[in-house]
Amino acid sequence: MAGENFYDKEREFGKRSKVLAQHIYMSVFKARRVIDQIRGRSYEETLMILELMPSWASYPIFQLVSSAAANASREADFFLSKAEVNRGAIVKKFRPRARGRSYLIKKTTCHIRKEKSQLEMRKRILEILYI
């Protein structure tokens, strides 16, 4: 196992398509709530869930999934193998208040990273994880 490199794992698990979105004006917790619903699902299931989800946070994630599908050669054969949401920079603004004071407004951002793998390799990945 120590002598394995990245290319051996790439051959074992099949093709992968990666996409990254940075500095999205959204809370990390809101984005994680949506990502947890779609992690490990197929491409069609993911699109259906995101279209029907009432959360505002699902729209940028929907765009990200469609972008990852465009990067892949055949999007029907892919599933969402890995998805993570990380905290981004905090944009700070000042709002004027009474008597010449100012009030700090913090706008949080997040980074979303997704990875799609081939569907026929899904069984092998699940066997490795759950055995």
Side-chain angles (χ1 to χ4, degrees), residues 96-113:
R97 303 301 282 180
R99 296 185 176 181
R101 296 177 182 162
S102 62
Y103 181 73
L104 185 65
I105 298 174
K106 295 180 182 179
K107 296 278 189 175
T108 58
T109 62
C110 65
H111 306 313
I112 302 174
R113 177 174 300 167

Side-chain angles (χ1 to χ4, degrees), residues 4-22:
E4 288 184 7
N5 60 14
F6 174 74
Y7 298 106
D8 292 337
K9 291 182 181 180
E10 188 73 25
R11 266 187 248 117
E12 181 183 348
F13 291 118
K15 289 187 176 182
R16 294 181 181 175
S17 172
K18 298 177 186 177
V19 66
L20 172 68
Q22 293 183 329

Side-chain angles (χ1 to χ4, degrees), residues 25-127:
Y25 280 107
M26 185 187 320
S27 172
V28 177
F29 303 106
K30 292 178 186 177
R32 279 188 189 147
R33 197 178 325 161
V34 176
I35 290 289
D36 289 341
Q37 296 294 321
I38 62 173
R39 186 179 291 123
R41 306 221 183 219
S42 67
Y43 175 69
E44 292 87 10
E45 284 181 276
T46 302
L47 290 182
M48 190 178 354
I49 289 171
L50 290 175
E51 285 177 0
L52 298 175
M53 192 172 282
S55 175
W56 177 87
S58 63
Y59 182 70
I61 296 171
F62 178 81
Q63 288 179 328
L64 196 61
V65 168
S66 60
S67 174
N71 292 343
S73 58
R74 297 177 307 190
E75 63 267 358
D77 294 342
F78 280 79
F79 76 101
L80 195 63
S81 62
K82 185 178 180 183
E84 59 183 30
V85 181
N86 297 322
R87 190 176 136 209
I90 297 175
V91 179
K92 296 178 182 176
K93 298 179 180 180
F94 288 103
R95 181 178 181 134
R97 303 301 282 180
R99 296 185 176 181
R101 296 177 182 162
S102 62
Y103 181 73
L104 185 65
I105 298 174
K106 295 180 182 179
K107 296 278 189 175
T108 58
T109 62
C110 65
H111 306 313
I112 302 174
R113 177 174 300 167
K114 293 185 181 184
E115 184 175 311
K116 297 182 136 225
S117 297
Q118 287 182 354
L119 192 56
E120 53 261 7
M121 297 298 164
R122 182 178 186 178
K123 292 179 183 176
R124 291 179 65 188
I125 292 172
L126 290 175
E127 287 174 2

